[in-house]
Amino acid sequence: MRISQRCLSGRTSYIKRCNATLVATRAIHRKRDLAFARSSCSHTLHQDAIFCKSGSTTWIRGAKTKTSVKITPLHQGALPQGTPVAVEREDGPAYPAVIQGARNNMKKFAHCVVLTRVGGFYELYFEQAEEYGPLLNLKVGKKSTNAGIVPMSGFPFFQLDRFLKILVQDLNKHVAIVEEFEKDAEAKAKSGGLQYDRRVSRIITPGTLIDENFMDPFENNYLLSIQCDPEILEQRNVDAENSKTPEVGLAWLDLSSGDFFTQRTNLDALGTVLARIAPREILLDQALQDLQDKRLTALCRDDRHIITYITSVLSDLASDNWLSMIEAQGERPAVSNFSALEIAAGNTILHYVNTQLQGTKPRLQAPLQRREDEFMALDKNTIRALEIRETLRDGTFQGSLLHAVRRTVTKSGSRLLGQRLCLSQAVSPSMSLDEINSRLDLVAEFLENPDLHHNLLVLLRDTFDSLRLVQKFSFGRGDADDLLGLSRTIQVTDKISDTLWTHQASGEQISTAKPRWLKFESLLHRLSLDGPMDLSLRILNTIDEEKLMEQHRIEDSEAAEMVELAEDVLNQEGEQHLKGVPKSVRAQAHNGNGIGKSVDAESNNWIMQRNASAMLSRLHRKLDALKEEKDSLESRLRIELGAASLTLRWTPKLGHICHVKGGVKERASVAALRSVRILQSSKSTQSFHVPEWTQLGNRTEEAKHRIQAEESRIFATLRAEVVRNLIEIRRNAAVLDELDVACSSATLAREQRLVRPILNAGMNVNIVGGRHHTVEAGLMKQGRNFTSNDLSMTDAERIHLITGPNMGGKSTFLRQNALICILAQTGSYVPAEYAEIGLVDKIFSRVGSADNLYADQSTFMVEMLETAEILRSATPRSFVVMDEVGRGTTPEDGVAVGFAALHHLYHVNKSRVLFATHFHTLTDMVQGVEGIACYCTDVAESREGDGSWTFVHRLRRGVNRESHALKVAGLAGLPKEAVEVAAKVLRTLQNMPPLPPPNLPDPPLMALRTRSHRLTSDSSLLSAGESA
Ligand SMILES: Nc1ncnc2c1ncn2[C@@H]1O[C@H](COP(=O)(O)OP(=O)(O)O)[C@@H](O)[C@H]1O
Ligand SMILES: [Mg+2]
């Protein structure tokens, strides 16, 4: 197995630390391991550990992209409670309990990498330590046990995210996290003194991330379930000619935001849908893996999607079973409209999520059913060709459309913009004039009111990603910082609401006639703040920010100490080596957990205001009183013992002690006390117990424990309150996202002279002074200007045939117009002086040629596949961009195929088409045909006669018969002699036929003479097709 070296390089320093830490782990845990009684860990195994009977994996190009999980014996529907899975026991000497537990988990979750929490560390054992330790750059140690040597490897708990990133994100692994749960006294006694229960708390897969730090904040993390009847697929395979394309049901969700969608589609459209959803993980039925017809699996494997095979939940579960995982209180998802396959996809995905979360219920938004006709359709080649989310050449974000237009100031706003541009079926370019215009209204509002725009930007920048925050809370996660982030976002939302209402009020006075106000108001009415504001105030009145910051400082220094400790003991083994380590650090190491210091320590990890609850105030008052008691006891003892340096202390080893520093006199007086037993004595200090302090100390400890318990209780109620406000907070977040995207478009419009497009239900396109965002930006960096171009498509000129020199700007022109249509329908301003567009239902873009040799497809094959897709699907409302179709084959074949494509688009699809070509024959063939117009770009030769020339990027009506390829070849640095030979050949060819063969010695070049001029330049070919 190979692992990308890239993902591991550049980590040397922290890897060194990890290695160091590992050695420390072993030293620290040696003692703990001894304490674990030898007992079977069957009690730690969950009844819902189900995806575990057996597993197989497939590797594609080094990284595993497919996991196969057999769950045949799986109960369908709700998981039965309390059915323990039998654990295989082995005869002979047993492993220590922790290791045995890990071994059991590795068997049960056979498709997962098992990370077992032991104290402050996560550990890998056995073959997984050997396999993944090196991949994670962790040292692999060997531990001797009664049952034999056990390889082990591990890292400190606070580095979990880093290692999950490598395992889940880079290696596409499923990871089972085994956590420690402290047992109550009874359970402890029963298990023979074992302090912790360890069980799998969650399985993390690429598609089921919740709040991991390595998640891309700017993109959704979708898990997608695809359902298709395997029998129909198989039948179709037999009877391919006659069968309709099989129906497919989809359900997809993002656990991190709670988005949940379903859609029905068909196998032919699936590739496009996949490209738009861009799922991180796909669930497919096991049965599909073994099918003869591999089309579905091949589609899913395209773009290297990660596939997990599972047994689908096909039982006829209705929406009722979904309710427990869906936010809608009372509101039932309208599942009656869903197809059986959509429901099956929904069942399967929810079931899978449930298993991965080991019973924790996610709170998803009610499923939204997407319909294809609601949105402009962009197929996957178009998304790629138009470089919407990444560049064609090197797949980078920089240079993409999204990068060029993104001026959002919040993460979730960026996600929404991405979705609108195509990345998600949910809100991609719209087909609704109403929707588009109301989005444009909002942008217009901000452009007309720069102050409002500015104020909103300032406020939006102050918000946090509340969608992902509330989702954390709904999983029972989320800490005090998250609460504060949420609270601040709610406060800012309130201010935004005020700002907008005030603006609206003042606006109304200026002009009541604006039709757009209505929509503005409806946006404002969607903000609901009553519940969230109460929540926000409660959070602010509860959490003590200063204490929290103090707490972070302590945690940071503890984590640093932990790593230092590990480094100190690097290359040393065994407990005794901890002796050289500072006492405080040693104590901490034994504490296991880097944080969560004993409450007896001087600093307390409390984070709440004293008056957060009546109980908490009472407890704090009590603690104050105890502190006073301690002070007076201390003074009294000082007087009684005549030892001014006496202090009352606590240490982990000795408990509550009196500590005296000083000379002979003080020590003598202490020694005189009959009742004390000297615990420790040195030249200058003495420590001893005083019963009063021991008792008072214990009471203090008890009080602190109670404070901590009360804080935990309050925290739990706050969490619950967040979840109660989930729907409002999500709705508010959606409004903020829309505002952010509108502000972004306004910012961009101001920066780059964009105009508001006019959308209508007609079929014409009229763009004046259109530009290409990214090409323009690139030229500007080099101090060059972009030449804008117009496009006018009417019934008289529905198809534009564009010729011109290489590098003349044909492709740029084609793409810029497609992009303008997309941007317009997302509700964004566009780079032009004027743009009027009849709604476009689908955009197709076939540009450039790219081999897909991996998928066994040559350049020409790719070209034809894409062309076929266009000719099959384009409608009169579609906008088709065809760039040099027929380029990947001989000129004759190229012309023939190009002509056929034009012919079909003209007669059958009747779409709006921009068709760029170097085959002038094509222009001859369509001359005079109504509805087809020819445009071209040019090269301007210098009048000086010095051979210099420039491109004219401005389009003009007409045909340019010269491709000026040799100029470009020269520009590209082709050797001068080669260019001269080429020029000679060209001259010869241009004079054919009927010319004698060129006087060239090189035989292969002769082949060029076969260039044919026999193709008719008669436009009757096109009209002939009409009757055909
Ligand atoms: N309208 C324009 N104004 C200025 N430069 C342009 C324009 N269109 C294209 N270019 C420049 O020409 C280069 C090649 O354009 P391209 O569209 O690929 O040409 P073609 O498809 O005709 O070979 C672009 O990368 C850009 O630098
Ligand atoms: Mg081109």
Side-chain angles (χ1 to χ4, degrees):
M1 179 177 48
R2 272 176 32 228
I3 166 177
S4 145
Q5 207 46 49
R6 206 158 23 113
C7 68
L8 293 177
S9 64
R11 295 165 181 264
T12 6
S13 64
Y14 100 79
I15 286 162
K16 221 173 93 193
R17 284 180 181 181
C18 296
N19 284 340
T21 321
L22 175 75
V23 182
T25 325
R26 241 162 274 131
I28 293 160
H29 293 315
R30 178 157 298 181
K31 203 166 173 187
R32 298 183 62 139
D33 287 341
L34 294 175
F36 293 120
R38 280 184 207 160
S39 77
S40 148
C41 263
S42 58
H43 59 281
T44 66
L45 295 163
H46 248 205
Q47 76 282 358
D48 35 9
I50 47 172
F51 282 8
C52 50
K53 290 297 172 201
S54 70
S56 66
T57 52
T58 307
W59 294 84
I60 297 171
R61 280 200 184 167
K64 183 186 154 200
T65 57
K66 200 170 96 180
T67 301
S68 202
V69 180
K70 282 229 172 69
I71 51 170
T72 334
L74 174 66
H75 295 275
Q76 305 290 295
L79 291 168
Q81 292 298 312
T83 5
V85 179
V87 180
E88 184 192 320
R89 289 202 191 215
E90 285 167 16
D91 293 334
Y95 291 111
V98 179
I99 296 180
Q100 184 60 48
R103 194 174 173 78
N104 294 342
N105 282 329
M106 282 168 62
K107 272 189 202 149
K108 293 194 165 304
F109 298 86
H111 63 295
C112 295
V113 180
V114 177
L115 295 180
T116 307
R117 174 83 179 241
V118 184
F121 295 82
Y122 284 99
E123 308 207 325
L124 290 148
Y125 297 97
F126 300 103
E127 61 276 12
Q128 292 198 339
E130 287 179 318
E131 183 177 355
Y132 298 106
L135 288 180
L136 300 171
N137 257 340
L138 296 172
K139 195 166 166 178
V140 181
K142 298 235 184 295
K143 183 179 175 63
S144 330
T145 71
N146 287 344
I149 304 250
V150 178
M152 58 183 282
S153 191
F155 54 84
F157 75 99
F158 51 81
Q159 290 178 324
L160 179 62
D161 255 4
R162 288 175 176 185
F163 290 102
L164 275 182
K165 182 189 175 303
I166 303 177
L167 288 168
V168 178
Q169 198 99 317
D170 303 342
L171 298 175
N172 297 326
K173 290 285 161 198
H174 290 201
V175 177
I177 304 279
V178 182
E179 288 293 354
E180 285 180 336
F181 299 87
E182 194 154 2
K183 293 183 178 185
D184 57 26
E186 196 186 331
K188 232 180 264 183
K190 262 192 198 160
S191 65
L194 280 178
Q195 203 180 352
Y196 296 104
D197 225 359
R198 286 189 177 74
R199 56 176 184 264
V200 172
S201 65
R202 191 182 154 202
I203 297 166
I204 301 173
T205 70
T208 53
L209 303 179
I210 301 174
D211 61 350
E212 282 65 32
N213 285 331
F214 53 83
M215 288 181 80
D216 187 341
F218 301 110
E219 278 200 32
N220 280 102
N221 200 79
Y222 287 127
L223 171 71
L224 168 73
S225 159
I226 301 179
Q227 288 292 327
C228 187
D229 190 336
E231 276 177 27
I232 293 186
L233 273 186
E234 209 67 314
Q235 259 172 21
R236 185 173 126 104
N237 201 35
V238 177
D239 190 14
E241 276 296 295
N242 299 323
S243 54
K244 269 189 5 204
T245 169
E247 193 191 324
V248 173
L250 304 174
W252 67 103
L253 54 81
D254 180 345
L255 278 184
S256 72
S257 64
D259 291 316
F260 183 17
F261 305 100
T262 71
Q263 186 183 328
R264 62 204 294 183
T265 178
N266 59 53
L267 195 58
D268 288 345
L270 187 62
T272 289
V273 179
L274 277 180
R276 295 174 62 175
I277 298 173
R280 278 289 291 139
E281 183 180 353
I282 295 177
L283 304 179
L284 278 188
D285 192 282
Q286 186 68 54
L288 295 169
Q289 191 176 13
D290 316 319
L291 274 189
Q292 283 261 310
D293 184 344
K294 293 280 177 224
R295 238 185 100 196
L296 181 69
T297 38
L299 266 174
C300 294
R301 221 172 286 134
D302 240 19
D303 296 325
R304 323 225 10 233
H305 286 304
I306 298 157
I307 304 175
T308 303
Y309 288 99
I310 60 166
T311 303
S312 304
V313 184
L314 288 174
S315 60
D316 179 29
L317 295 181
S319 63
D320 278 6
N321 296 45
W322 298 11
L323 281 182
S324 66
M325 291 163 93
I326 288 169
E327 74 173 11
Q329 293 147 351
E331 253 175 73
R332 266 150 208 271
V335 177
S336 53
N337 303 332
F338 293 2
S339 70
L341 286 173
E342 268 176 297
I343 294 185
N347 285 339
T348 305
I349 205 169
L350 293 182
H351 190 76
Y352 181 74
V353 163
N354 207 15
T355 309
Q356 305 311 81
L357 299 175
Q358 293 286 294
T360 312
K361 295 272 183 221
R363 299 277 183 142
L364 300 166
Q365 307 189 26
L368 267 179
Q369 190 183 26
R370 308 303 351 171
R371 288 208 335 263
E372 247 145 54
D373 56 2
E374 289 171 282
F375 306 102
M376 174 198 266
L378 298 163
D379 72 351
K380 75 172 177 191
N381 302 322
T382 306
I383 292 173
R384 214 180 287 145
L386 294 179
E387 306 190 305
I388 290 179
R389 60 151 76 102
E390 58 189 29
T391 58
L392 261 179
R393 202 187 163 86
D394 38 19
T396 54
F397 177 59
Q398 188 153 12
S400 68
L401 175 72
L402 190 54
H403 180 260
V405 301
R406 193 165 82 187
R407 297 292 182 278
T408 42
V409 295
T410 70
K411 288 169 183 156
S412 54
S414 306
R415 290 200 297 272
L416 179 66
L417 181 66
Q419 289 171 359
R420 281 204 185 156
L421 274 176
C422 80
L423 308 191
S424 149
Q425 294 288 89
V427 279
S428 33
S430 176
M431 281 298 289
S432 149
L433 285 177
D434 241 23
E435 177 70 42
I436 298 169
N437 279 320
S438 70
R439 288 178 190 175
L440 288 168
D441 275 348
L442 207 53
V443 183
E445 196 62 41
F446 297 141
L447 274 172
E448 283 168 29
N449 299 281
D451 285 348
L452 173 72
H453 183 203
H454 174 78
N455 292 343
L456 269 187
L457 284 179
V458 171
L459 287 169
L460 283 169
R461 275 199 193 99
D462 237 10
T463 61
F464 292 76
D465 196 341
S466 50
L467 267 186
R468 286 198 168 166
L469 284 182
V470 287
Q471 196 62 7
K472 261 191 189 183
F473 285 102
S474 77
F475 280 111
R477 299 150 84 101
D479 55 21
D481 291 290
D482 297 328
L483 278 180
L484 283 176
L486 201 57
S487 166
R488 199 157 301 139
T489 306
I490 295 168
Q491 300 281 332
V492 174
T493 311
D494 188 49
K495 282 190 199 148
I496 288 178
S497 167
D498 279 354
T499 310
L500 292 176
W501 278 112
T502 314
H503 169 74
Q504 206 235 6
S506 67
E508 251 171 351
Q509 283 159 11
I510 300 163
S511 156
T512 44
K514 285 187 186 172
R516 69 170 85 118
W517 284 126
L518 267 178
K519 283 169 189 144
F520 201 62
E521 211 175 299
S522 77
L523 182 91
L524 284 175
H525 279 304
R526 279 167 50 204
L527 286 172
S528 57
L529 280 152
D530 292 349
M533 276 303 271
D534 287 348
L535 168 69
S536 163
L537 289 177
R538 255 206 81 189
I539 293 172
L540 291 181
N541 291 333
T542 304
I543 308 284
D544 186 325
E545 274 191 69
E546 261 174 42
K547 279 189 198 156
L548 189 62
M549 266 154 63
E550 176 58 26
Q551 170 80 19
H552 287 325
R553 271 195 293 278
I554 295 172
E555 278 169 16
D556 288 350
S557 74
E558 278 176 347
E561 277 175 24
M562 190 99 163
V563 173
E564 258 171 47
L565 158 73
E567 279 173 355
D568 283 351
V569 290
L570 182 67
N571 299 328
Q572 300 179 4
E573 281 267 4
E575 181 86 345
Q576 69 274 19
H577 293 293
L578 284 178
K579 279 182 181 146
V581 176
K583 248 190 226 163
S584 59
V585 178
R586 230 191 304 165
Q588 197 182 305
H590 281 288
N591 212 356
N593 190 334
I595 56 167
K597 251 188 189 173
S598 159
V599 287
D600 304 78
E602 267 316 308
S603 59
N604 295 300
N605 49 4
W606 300 328
I607 51 161
M608 292 192 182
Q609 315 260 16
R610 287 170 67 109
N611 56 359
S613 77
M615 169 68 100
L616 198 62
S617 316
R618 221 170 23 248
L619 290 172
H620 273 291
R621 279 201 300 277
K622 196 166 159 199
L623 187 66
D624 291 346
L626 289 168
K627 174 93 174 56
E628 271 171 31
E629 255 185 76
K630 177 195 167 193
D631 290 346
S632 57
L633 176 65
E634 208 167 52
S635 321
R636 210 186 75 213
L637 286 173
R638 279 177 189 168
I639 297 167
E640 277 177 11
L641 297 180
S645 66
L646 180 142
T647 48
L648 299 177
R649 295 185 181 182
W650 179 88
T651 73
K653 208 167 164 191
L654 302 174
H656 294 92
I657 52 165
C658 291
H659 183 262
V660 175
K661 222 164 48 188
V664 184
K665 197 181 117 221
E666 282 87 355
R667 289 196 290 146
S669 69
V670 171
L673 274 179
R674 289 262 165 122
S675 58
V676 305
R677 188 168 63 86
I678 304 297
L679 299 164
Q680 249 178 10
S681 186
S682 73
K683 260 188 204 154
S684 58
T685 66
Q686 270 184 331
S687 304
F688 53 92
H689 282 154
V690 174
E692 280 161 295
W693 170 225
T694 306
Q695 200 220 18
L696 178 62
N698 285 338
R699 276 163 57 212
T700 308
E701 210 177 300
E702 168 68 18
K704 288 180 176 178
H705 269 303
R706 292 189 61 192
I707 289 178
Q708 204 164 44
E710 176 62 6
E711 284 205 350
S712 304
R713 190 195 63 79
I714 299 172
F715 200 87
T717 61
L718 280 179
R719 258 196 193 137
E721 207 162 318
V722 171
V723 176
R724 261 199 299 284
N725 281 285
L726 194 74
I727 297 177
E728 280 94 340
I729 295 174
R730 273 182 184 158
R731 278 200 196 130
N732 293 348
V735 175
L736 296 199
D737 290 349
E738 282 171 40
L739 289 171
D740 191 17
V741 170
C743 281
S744 160
S745 184
T747 307
L748 192 74
R750 207 167 273 139
E751 254 176 41
Q752 303 188 354
R753 297 175 292 119
L754 309 188
V755 291
R756 176 176 179 148
I758 300 162
L759 279 300
N760 59 43
M763 292 295 214
N764 293 351
V765 175
N766 184 14
I767 295 170
V768 179
R771 309 189 307 272
H772 188 298
H773 265 307
T774 36
V775 174
E776 185 178 25
L779 288 175
M780 238 149 63
K781 267 195 199 145
Q782 305 166 23
R784 291 161 59 196
N785 280 329
F786 187 88
T787 310
S788 62
N789 270 308
D790 305 345
L791 170 69
S792 168
M793 283 176 152
T794 56
D795 274 349
E797 299 193 347
R798 206 156 22 95
I799 296 181
H800 289 210
L801 209 55
I802 297 158
T803 49
N806 276 299
M807 292 285 288
K810 297 182 297 299
S811 303
T812 307
F813 178 72
L814 262 52
R815 291 179 202 203
Q816 92 190 17
N817 289 301
L819 289 173
I820 287 173
C821 292
I822 294 176
L823 281 173
Q825 284 182 231
T826 59
S828 168
Y829 276 36
V830 298
E833 281 157 34
Y834 178 85
E836 196 174 343
I837 298 164
L839 280 182
V840 175
D841 66 349
K842 300 176 187 179
I843 292 209
F844 293 97
S845 180
R846 216 230 70 77
V847 314
S849 50
D851 277 330
N852 193 356
L853 296 179
Y854 170 55
D856 191 23
Q857 291 166 351
S858 72
T859 308
F860 187 65
M861 184 66 183
V862 174
E863 198 178 310
M864 286 304 103
L865 280 171
E866 294 181 13
T867 307
E869 173 69 26
I870 297 175
L871 299 186
R872 253 203 319 265
S873 324
T875 75
R877 204 163 260 300
S878 303
F879 189 91
V880 177
V881 160
M882 286 228 170
D883 202 354
E884 298 191 33
V885 167
R887 166 164 84 167
T889 181
T890 62
E892 292 87 346
D893 286 345
V895 171
V897 167
F899 181 79
L902 259 183
H903 186 275
H904 203 273
L905 285 166
Y906 183 86
H907 287 297
V908 182
N909 307 96
K910 301 184 165 54
S911 310
R912 293 167 275 187
V913 182
L914 292 179
F915 195 108
T917 185
H918 282 295
F919 302 133
H920 330 118
T921 324
L922 275 182
T923 60
D924 298 335
M925 290 160 85
V926 300
Q927 235 167 44
V929 176
E930 197 187 328
I932 301 187
C934 293
Y935 287 86
C936 65
T937 57
D938 258 320
V939 157
E941 315 261 355
S942 162
R943 293 223 180 111
E944 312 289 308
D946 58 357
S948 66
W949 50 275
T950 48
F951 288 116
V952 180
H953 292 116
R954 174 100 55 218
L955 258 73
R956 67 169 168 86
R957 203 178 271 280
V959 178
N960 191 330
R961 292 178 186 275
E962 286 191 77
S963 74
H964 297 274
L966 302 190
K967 291 194 170 70
V968 177
L971 210 62
L974 223 67
K976 212 170 153 208
E977 307 79 56
V979 176
E980 275 165 14
V981 172
K984 218 167 178 180
V985 175
L986 190 62
R987 273 196 302 277
T988 316
L989 290 172
Q990 278 168 345
N991 292 333
M992 288 173 56
L995 269 190
N999 188 16
L1000 288 167
D1002 198 0
L1005 285 174
M1006 298 305 198
L1008 289 173
R1009 280 200 308 127
T1010 59
R1011 182 175 186 272
S1012 163
H1013 276 231
R1014 263 168 297 150
L1015 276 162
T1016 170
S1017 55
D1018 182 357
S1019 62
S1020 62
L1021 259 180
L1022 260 185
S1023 26
E1026 242 157 343
S1027 53

